[in-house]
C-alpha cells in the first residue's frame, strides 16, 4: 500500500505547461532563421531547451508562491505577476552572463 497520490500539484502542472509553452514559442520564433540556414539545428534545440527550462521554472515558482497566498485572490494575482517578472529578469541576467563568459 502506498500513501502517494497520482495527482500533480498545481505548481508541477504549471511548470510542465510553462516549459511546453516556452519551448514551443522559442521554436516558432526561430523557425524561419533555421529554414534560411542562419540557425543550426543544434542551436535551435539548445535555445528551445533553455527557454523551456526558464519558462517552466518561472511558472512553477510563481504558482507555488501563489498557492501559499490562497484565499487572497488580489494578493495571489500580484504575487504571480511579480514573481513571474522577477524570475524572467533573473533568468535573462544569468543567460546573458553565461553567454558573455563563453565569448
Amino acid at each position: 500500500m502506498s500513501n502517494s497520490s497520482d495527482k500533480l500539484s498545481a505548481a508541477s502542472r504549471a511548470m510542465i505547461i510553462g516549459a511546453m509553452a516556452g519551448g514551443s514559442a522559442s521554436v516558432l520564433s526561430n523557425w524561419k532563421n533555421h529554414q534560411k540556414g542562419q540557425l543550426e539545428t543544434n542551436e535551435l534545440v539548445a535555445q528551445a531547451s533553455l527557454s523551456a527550462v526558464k519558462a517552466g521554472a518561472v511558472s512553477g515558482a510563481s504558482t507555488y508562491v501563489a498557492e501559499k497566498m490562497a484565499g487572497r485572490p488580489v494578493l495571489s494575482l500580484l504575487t504571480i505577476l511579480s514573481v513571474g517578472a522577477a524570475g524572467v529578469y533573473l533568468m535573462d541576467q544569468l543567460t546573458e552572463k553565461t553567454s558573455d563568459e563563453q565569448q
Side-chain angles (χ1 to χ4, degrees):
M1 299 270 256
S2 173
N3 290 334
S4 66
S5 174
D6 289 337
K7 294 183 180 181
L8 290 175
S9 69
S12 297
R13 288 192 307 266
M15 185 171 55
I16 292 168
I17 291 169
M20 289 170 36
S24 299
S26 177
V27 169
L28 290 174
S29 67
N30 291 317
W31 187 250
K32 286 185 182 180
N33 291 335
H34 175 65
Q35 286 182 323
K36 292 177 186 176
Q38 297 172 348
L39 188 64
E40 295 291 323
T41 303
N42 292 341
E43 194 173 340
L44 176 75
V45 172
Q47 287 180 4
S49 300
L50 184 61
S51 294
V53 168
K54 284 199 269 187
V58 169
S59 298
S62 59
T63 303
Y64 176 79
V65 171
E67 279 181 334
K68 299 301 176 189
M69 305 288 173
R72 296 170 271 198
V74 174
L75 187 56
S76 294
L77 177 63
L78 292 174
T79 301
I80 288 172
L81 294 175
S82 62
V83 170
V88 169
Y89 175 76
L90 289 174
M91 292 298 249
D92 285 342
Q93 292 298 316
L94 289 173
T95 304
E96 286 179 18
K97 198 177 289 185
T98 304
S99 65
D100 289 343
E101 290 172 0
Q102 290 177 354
Q103 294 175 355

